[in-house]
Amino acid sequence: MGVIAKNDKTSRIMFVLSLVFGFVFAASFLLMPAASSISLNEGKNELLYLAGALFWSSLFLSIVTTVIVTVKRKKYFKNKENSNLPKYPGIITFFSSKKAKIADILMIVFLFAFIACTIFADGYPIYVFLFLSVLAIQYHCVLNGKNLIFIKELKSGGSV
């Protein structure tokens, strides 16, 4: 067993928090057009500040929690002989599992839809597809990534 005990709850909590903060980050894009419209038309900036605060704080907290899990993962696998971690990071790994295949396909679809909306449409659908694209990219990275394997191994007691 690695340095971390098999029932390490901190890593699992940080992993879930990184997913929650990632979702809030993606969802912050949905607030931006309404916040901008209210700010421009009514002169009220509260929603604009809220959207900006959600964007930056959730991005920062998502990165921090992911780094914490990554550091714990590296410590855990440092002295392990039989590590089944992928060679490359999740951002450049594709189709590593059934769930990852679904996320990868959705990511491609949403990215094309976002690009198409940006070119051919106007208005709120652009922000919806931006939200879906950012969320799908995050799920692509998580489901193809090393931290998920680490969390699964912790959950199963070291038998993934």
Side-chain angles (χ1 to χ4, degrees):
M1 180 77 24
V3 175
I4 297 175
K6 64 182 173 183
N7 61 357
D8 180 27
K9 291 184 180 181
T10 306
S11 295
R12 296 193 299 187
I13 291 169
M14 289 293 134
F15 182 75
V16 170
L17 283 174
S18 73
L19 297 177
V20 170
F21 290 134
F23 179 83
V24 172
F25 170 72
S28 71
F29 290 104
L30 296 173
L31 276 177
M32 291 177 185
S36 179
S37 176
I38 291 171
S39 178
L40 289 172
N41 295 329
E42 299 175 21
K44 297 179 182 176
N45 293 330
E46 291 83 11
L47 191 57
L48 195 64
Y49 295 141
L50 175 66
L54 278 176
F55 175 88
W56 288 109
S57 62
S58 61
L59 176 63
F60 176 76
L61 291 171
S62 177
I63 291 169
V64 167
T65 52
T66 301
V67 167
I68 290 170
V69 174
T70 301
V71 167
K72 288 182 172 274
R73 173 186 46 88
K74 287 182 178 185
K75 285 181 185 176
Y76 179 82
F77 285 112
K78 185 175 184 177
N79 296 324
K80 254 189 145 190
E81 299 163 4
N82 189 9
S83 168
N84 60 347
L85 293 176
K87 186 176 181 180
Y88 299 106
I91 189 74
I92 56 175
T93 302
F94 290 87
F95 307 113
S96 64
S97 70
K98 188 175 184 178
K99 291 177 184 177
K101 288 177 188 176
I102 294 168
D104 294 342
I105 292 168
L106 285 174
M107 178 186 70
I108 293 166
V109 168
F110 289 144
L111 283 171
F112 278 122
F114 170 67
I115 293 168
C117 276
T118 303
I119 295 170
F120 299 114
D122 194 19
Y124 200 69
I126 294 172
Y127 291 93
V128 171
F129 283 110
L130 177 60
F131 159 72
L132 292 171
S133 297
V134 169
L135 197 60
I137 290 168
Q138 290 175 3
Y139 284 139
H140 155 77
C141 293
V142 168
L143 292 173
N144 287 299
K146 298 174 186 179
N147 286 348
L148 181 62
I149 294 169
F150 167 59
I151 295 302
K152 284 182 178 180
E153 184 154 325
L154 286 179
K155 196 172 183 180
S156 70
S159 62
V160 173

